[in-house]
Amino acid sequence: MKLTIISGRSGSGKSTAIQALEDQGYYCVDNLPVGMLPTLAQQLSEGETAIGHVAVGIDARNLPGQLLAFDNILDALKQQQITSEIIYLDADDNTLLKRFSATRRRHPLATDQRSLEDAIAHEKDLLANIRQRADLVIDSSNHEVHSLRNLIRERVAQRRNALSLQIESFGFKNGLPTDADFVFDVRILPNPHWHPDLRPLTGRDQGVIDFLQKHDISHDLLDDIATFVQRWLTAFAHSDRSYVTVAIGCTGGQHRSVYITEQLAARLREQGITLQVRHRELGSS
């Protein structure tokens, strides 16, 4: 049995993630008390009716003592020889505030004495250990429901290889991706933004591609990044790592980072490596 633990802060998309896995045939249980995980796993993994894929939602509504015992519970799962992974969803504080304000939902930790802002911060502290142990952290700040469902389906439910690789472009002006394992800065490349005919285009468009490919530095930087990723990807797979996210950043996330991301993905796919591509600032994959 494969046990997928879905956790994260309220408003980050945990329910959407669990629904996406349920649509993919997972047996799903939401808001399970942490202490019941070993018992549930044992019951669902035994006998002729054993279930292959199970997803369990764990959140801050658990008693604090149970959350503190999370490490011991993971050890108990290992002793039961249960294969497990942790997917942690999060979003920046401003996004969470806007989501709760838009839906008029009450935060589960908010009280008459604790404001929404304080509840969001308190929840972060309560779940810090789970986040630290996560195999994959997903920042849903720039995801709407449909794109998040697609991401969960592609990276988690439909993962065929031992390692799920995502290459993501982004703009430094909007902050670093919180889910990145490696970050490469490509702002050293000539910037198409300063050419009026290229400014409205993206790194996917032929005009920008031709412009960047005229410069040797574009080829050299791409070669170095590709060599690094190809060299160390196998080592990550052999260390039982399930997820790796490589982030490529330029100033605005429209031209140079998109170009390098697309070119890097094409090279790796030629090597038979399965991966997902995401362009954070373009809102597309």
Side-chain angles (χ1 to χ4, degrees):
M1 184 188 78
K2 175 68 173 296
L3 174 63
T4 299
I5 299 170
I6 303 292
S7 189
R9 290 199 283 176
S10 303
S12 63
K14 298 190 306 299
S15 296
T16 297
I18 291 174
Q19 290 168 6
L21 293 178
E22 190 170 33
D23 290 344
Q24 295 297 310
Y26 280 62
Y27 181 90
C28 296
V29 180
D30 196 8
N31 191 26
L32 184 77
V34 175
M36 294 181 63
L37 264 176
T39 301
L40 177 70
Q42 181 177 3
Q43 290 178 349
L44 297 181
S45 63
E46 293 179 343
E48 298 179 358
T49 59
I51 297 174
H53 292 85
V54 177
V56 175
I58 301 293
D59 58 40
R61 287 173 289 182
N62 273 267
L63 295 174
Q66 291 187 333
L67 292 174
L68 291 173
F70 188 71
D71 288 347
N72 294 332
I73 291 166
L74 289 183
D75 291 339
L77 291 173
K78 290 180 181 179
Q79 292 176 4
Q80 294 174 221
Q81 297 184 332
I82 300 294
T83 301
S84 64
E85 64 179 2
I86 303 170
I87 312 299
Y88 189 94
L89 290 100
D90 206 353
D92 62 74
D93 290 357
N94 288 334
T95 297
L96 295 177
L97 284 168
K98 290 178 182 177
R99 288 175 179 173
F100 275 100
S101 297
T103 61
R104 297 187 179 180
R105 289 173 50 206
R106 183 178 178 86
H107 192 284
L109 300 184
T111 65
D112 293 338
Q113 291 76 37
R114 181 184 289 143
S115 67
L116 175 57
E117 293 88 345
D118 291 340
I120 289 173
H122 182 53
E123 187 175 37
K124 182 178 182 179
D125 293 337
L126 288 175
L127 298 175
N129 187 42
I130 297 180
R131 190 187 194 283
Q132 186 176 7
R133 298 293 298 268
D135 298 282
L136 175 64
V137 176
I138 296 176
D139 183 353
S140 69
S141 301
N142 296 297
H143 283 285
E144 42 82 28
V145 172
H146 296 294
S147 66
L148 181 58
R149 289 175 66 92
N150 288 337
L151 178 62
I152 294 295
R153 184 178 67 248
E154 293 171 1
R155 294 211 74 185
V156 181
Q158 297 180 355
R159 180 160 57 93
R160 295 292 178 260
N161 300 328
L163 185 71
S164 172
L165 172 65
Q166 177 173 275
I167 305 177
E168 175 181 12
S169 70
F170 72 97
F172 277 98
K173 70 177 185 180
N174 294 320
L176 290 171
T178 60
D179 55 353
D181 298 294
F182 297 101
V183 176
F184 293 97
D185 186 345
V186 300
R187 288 175 292 186
I188 195 173
L189 299 181
N191 193 350
H193 174 81
W194 302 116
H195 297 262
D197 57 327
L198 301 178
R199 187 172 301 168
L201 304 179
T202 76
R204 287 172 157 176
D205 293 313
Q206 195 61 46
V208 174
I209 294 171
D210 292 341
F211 170 79
L212 289 170
Q213 287 185 340
K214 289 190 303 183
H215 300 275
D216 290 340
I217 191 174
S218 300
H219 300 280
D220 294 341
L221 185 57
L222 177 60
D223 288 343
D224 287 345
I225 295 174
T227 298
F228 179 91
V229 174
Q230 289 171 320
R231 176 178 180 182
W232 294 108
L233 203 59
T234 301
F236 272 98
H238 289 165
S239 65
D240 296 327
R241 184 70 173 267
S242 298
Y243 300 93
V244 171
T245 297
V246 176
I248 311 290
C250 64
T251 303
Q254 178 180 339
H255 298 111
R256 294 167 290 180
S257 61
V258 173
Y259 165 79
I260 292 293
T261 294
E262 291 287 341
Q263 298 296 316
L264 177 61
R267 286 199 185 189
L268 296 178
R269 283 168 173 155
E270 288 177 357
Q271 302 298 319
I273 297 173
T274 302
L275 55 90
Q276 287 83 40
V277 170
R278 181 183 176 224
H279 299 296
R280 190 183 75 178
E281 316 306 350
L282 304 184
S284 63
S285 57

